[in-house]
Amino acid sequence: MQLRLDAADRLVELVEERRGPVFVEEAARRLFALRHAPIGMARSLLEEVVAEDARLAWRGDAVGLAEAPGADLPLDRATFVVVDLETTGLTPTTARICEIGAVRVRDLELVDEFELLVDPGVPIGAAITAITGLRDADLRGAPHPAIAVRRFLEFAGDAVLVAHNARFDLSFLDRETERLTGARLAGPVVDTVGLARRLLAGRTPRAGLASLSQFFGTSAQPCHRALPDAQATAEILIQLIGLAQERGALTVADLVDLAAPRVRKIYAKRSLAFGAPTAPGVYLFHDAHDQVLYVGRARDLRARLRSYFRTDRQRPAVESALGALERIEWRVCGSELEAALEELRLLRELRPPANARNARPDRYVYLRRRGETVVCSSKPSPVGPLKSRTRARLAARALRADEAERPELALPRLRARLNDLSECRRFEDAARLRDRLRAVEDVVRSMQKLEQLQRARCCLVVPSGEDGYARGVFVANGRIADVRTLASRLEVEAGLAACARPTEEHLQPEEIDELLLVGSFLRRPPPELRVAPLEADEILRSAAALPRALAGRPRRPARARAA
């Protein structure tokens, strides 16, 4: 089931990128990594994928998007159901629905409402309680998600679904609908975020629900509860339909088209990624003057680079870099770990403007006591260094002077205060305290992680870019002591000698970056990584145990593609 759904998602994405039907042979090659697919075999491979997904339909010997039922309805005769969900988290794979609210809009008027609490089967957590005011006791005995979604679908019927940031709400509804019926929702969906961005361009800088509610002066005020948020979205929808009609929109299909994301101009530059290998490495985006705009790393260079040219927009800085992009350079590395270390070095050396997390030592801060307050400072202290100045400042506002050197002592106090604010329904104050509490928790986790990593003494053994060899990253005394190719016992002994050298008392920010990077690979090691204690025989044994296909696979030389 999951493989079929994934294939359908990729096929829909391919059709949307091409802005039209895709011949069956090409679709099969792209989905199943085939060099050659005769039309008969290709059609048989895709038959089940197309048949089981209502978004897709056959167009002769090509696959295209199906016409959604109800898309040709005139706007003034269509029935819309505006839905909003409250959930226990952000992703449907790990979170569940805890409330559904919906409003029916007919003849451009609000005519009916639907509101239902849902028992997610898991604790909703203090953060969700602080935002919504919902507590586990409120949801106990409520219908389970599958029953709740079935009742909502009965309420919605054949109406056109509308949601604010529809991708979020529909992902949860689709997951429960798949469990009930084995298929996703098939009708047209209008996203008021995309519609507002298109129709209000230049009139309002934000398309959030609260901002649009204020812009249109809705009577319902969004408050992170499902029904009020759905009511506000419904009022916004009616206003946006009026603006869409002024632009000539006549049918639901016209409205869906206005709300759909535009195909990015950057898609025309996808040829710059042609020829990228399927190997680990780093990549650099260059502009017309050969300035490096962005640096990244990838386990699979080809897949990562191609992902930049799909329909989803990147964050603004990367989107700007893609707009100015003229050349992509890539450098193949022996392993993902080596690529990550190379990326870190390039970030420090080049400081590309589009990288959100530039490796700049001057940006690190520490928490320390100043009189009766706690402040952020560049002066070293026991609490630091911390990478995010913003999070550090939030944490400082929540801490008392006697908690400056041990922030974990503040957690029980802050959590109790958050519960009090929630029970008193002071949701705005609770939201502010929630952010500060999370910042303190981040600081505590960062310091615990750093202390644990400083005690690590090991050698990370990974494939080398040189055929038949392994690469060793020696970690000791809270830093990377040495990195070298493990060509012989002599190289291993040299790495162990580097681990025994005396070190400075305080770690430098550059060393912290490298140590945290190593920690991420220790927590989730890729298949080709081996971790050995600092003993020569164990390190040599780990190097020899690397699969031949990984340790000795041929490497393509670093290349760069020009426009």
Side-chain angles (χ1 to χ4, degrees):
M1 169 70 75
Q2 186 60 46
L3 288 175
R4 187 170 68 246
L5 294 175
D6 290 344
D9 287 342
R10 296 199 302 274
L11 187 51
V12 169
E13 181 183 85
L14 178 60
V15 174
E16 289 176 342
E17 285 180 358
R18 297 299 173 85
R19 305 195 71 179
V22 178
F23 285 110
V24 63
E25 302 99 314
E26 181 183 3
R29 287 198 304 268
R30 292 286 296 274
L31 261 66
F32 304 108
L34 300 175
R35 290 188 177 182
H36 176 66
I39 186 169
M41 182 179 73
R43 186 160 186 128
S44 65
L45 288 172
L46 293 172
E47 192 70 50
E48 187 177 6
V49 176
V50 176
E52 293 293 331
D53 198 293
R55 299 171 294 175
L56 298 167
W58 289 107
R59 300 282 186 263
D61 287 329
V63 180
L65 295 181
E67 292 294 332
D72 57 347
L73 281 173
L75 287 173
D76 54 0
R77 292 173 49 198
T79 299
F80 300 90
V81 167
V82 183
V83 61
D84 184 85
L85 306 180
E86 298 301 329
T87 63
T88 61
L90 299 178
T91 59
T93 55
T94 58
R96 304 299 294 272
I97 300 170
C98 59
E99 186 179 25
I100 304 177
V103 176
R104 194 189 314 276
V105 177
R106 184 184 298 123
D107 299 327
L108 301 183
E109 292 185 358
L110 282 62
V111 297
D112 200 3
E113 296 177 347
F114 175 92
E115 184 178 23
L116 187 63
L117 293 175
V118 182
D119 185 352
V122 295
I124 62 175
I128 301 300
T129 297
I131 296 173
T132 65
L134 293 172
R135 293 171 294 194
D136 292 324
D138 300 326
L139 306 179
R140 197 171 295 120
H144 288 283
I147 298 174
V149 169
R150 184 185 292 113
R151 292 183 186 176
F152 165 73
L153 294 177
E154 292 171 355
F155 171 82
D158 295 331
V160 178
L161 290 181
V162 181
H164 197 75
N165 189 16
R167 184 176 180 180
F168 174 82
D169 297 279
L170 267 294
S171 65
F172 282 88
L173 291 176
D174 274 338
R175 184 172 179 83
E176 295 300 333
T177 306
E178 286 169 9
R179 290 173 175 168
L180 290 171
T181 67
R184 300 182 179 188
L185 298 173
V189 178
V190 177
D191 189 346
T192 49
V193 171
L195 197 58
R197 285 174 177 165
R198 185 76 181 276
L199 298 175
L200 301 177
R203 298 177 61 184
T204 177
R206 299 179 182 275
L209 186 57
S211 299
L212 293 179
S213 175
Q214 183 177 10
F215 180 84
F216 286 117
T218 61
S219 58
Q221 295 299 311
C223 60
H224 296 293
R225 289 297 299 269
L227 183 58
D229 288 5
Q231 291 169 333
T233 304
E235 293 185 53
I236 291 167
L237 171 69
I238 294 171
Q239 297 285 348
L240 292 174
I241 288 176
L243 295 175
Q245 289 174 323
E246 292 176 5
R247 291 200 180 192
L250 299 176
T251 66
V252 171
D254 296 333
L255 197 67
V256 172
D257 184 62
L258 283 173
R262 302 296 97 188
V263 175
R264 297 186 299 152
K265 294 180 180 179
I266 198 64
Y267 182 67
K269 297 185 179 183
R270 63 192 184 281
S271 61
L272 297 177
F274 289 174
T278 58
V282 295
Y283 54 91
L284 299 85
F285 290 171
H286 295 262
D287 64 9
H289 305 288
D290 214 34
Q291 178 188 357
V292 176
L293 303 173
Y294 182 77
V295 171
R297 78 171 191 262
R299 181 175 182 81
D300 183 332
L301 283 168
R302 178 184 297 174
R304 184 69 184 98
L305 290 175
R306 287 182 176 183
S307 71
Y308 283 104
F309 304 99
R310 294 174 181 166
T311 54
D312 289 343
R313 291 179 63 86
Q314 308 290 329
R315 60 183 179 81
V318 177
E319 193 73 15
S320 298
L322 290 171
L325 179 64
E326 292 293 331
R327 181 171 69 90
I328 299 177
E329 174 189 357
W330 53 77
R331 304 175 186 178
V332 175
C333 299
S335 66
E336 191 178 1
L337 173 59
E338 192 175 355
L341 292 172
E342 177 66 7
E343 179 197 31
L344 199 58
R345 184 190 68 79
L346 290 172
L347 289 175
R348 283 197 297 257
E349 178 183 324
L350 302 175
R351 294 191 179 183
N355 282 89
R357 297 182 178 179
N358 261 330
R360 288 182 52 182
D362 55 299
R363 289 187 175 179
Y364 280 89
V365 295
Y366 301 81
L367 293 182
R368 65 184 185 87
R369 179 173 180 171
R370 179 186 291 172
E372 295 303 316
T373 62
V374 179
V375 298
C376 291
S377 172
S378 58
K379 183 178 179 181
S381 77
V383 183
L386 304 172
K387 300 182 72 172
S388 172
R389 185 181 296 268
T390 300
R391 303 295 286 173
R393 285 174 174 169
L394 280 174
R397 292 172 189 164
L399 295 175
R400 295 172 177 170
D402 58 342
E403 299 164 341
E405 294 190 1
R406 296 189 62 191
E408 65 275 11
L409 298 178
L411 295 178
R413 173 178 62 83
L414 295 174
R415 288 167 181 161
R417 177 60 177 163
L418 182 61
N419 288 332
D420 291 343
L421 292 174
S422 299
E423 291 177 358
C424 295
R425 304 182 67 83
R426 294 170 56 183
F427 299 132
E428 292 185 3
D429 292 336
R432 281 192 292 269
L433 182 60
R434 174 207 63 199
D435 293 340
R436 296 178 183 181
L437 172 59
R438 287 179 176 173
V440 175
E441 290 173 338
D442 286 347
V443 169
V444 172
R445 280 194 296 268
S446 296
M447 298 312 301
Q448 291 174 343
K449 184 191 305 181
L450 195 57
E451 291 172 1
Q452 183 179 8
L453 289 173
Q454 286 177 315
R455 295 193 295 268
R457 291 179 57 82
C458 59
C459 178
L460 283 68
V461 182
V462 292
S464 171
E466 302 177 57
D467 292 356
Y469 293 103
R471 193 91 166 146
V473 178
F474 294 82
V475 180
N477 303 320
R479 54 178 54 81
I480 294 180
D482 199 7
V483 179
R484 59 179 56 243
T485 300
L486 306 177
S488 66
R489 177 176 286 271
L490 185 62
E491 295 288 345
V492 175
E493 296 290 352
L496 294 175
C499 295
R501 293 176 192 146
T503 57
E504 298 179 5
E505 180 180 356
H506 296 290
L507 294 180
Q508 298 301 313
E510 296 90 342
E511 295 171 327
I512 294 291
D513 280 335
E514 294 177 347
L515 188 61
L516 292 174
L517 179 63
V518 167
S520 67
F521 280 85
L522 289 174
R523 286 193 302 276
R524 293 184 177 179
E528 70 275 10
L529 185 145
R530 302 289 184 271
V531 180
L534 293 181
E535 299 176 7
D537 290 339
E538 291 294 332
I539 294 171
L540 289 169
R541 189 176 296 111
S542 296
L546 282 176
R548 184 177 300 275
L550 292 174
R553 61 184 172 183
R555 296 290 176 185
R556 297 177 59 174
R559 299 178 53 192
R561 290 285 301 205

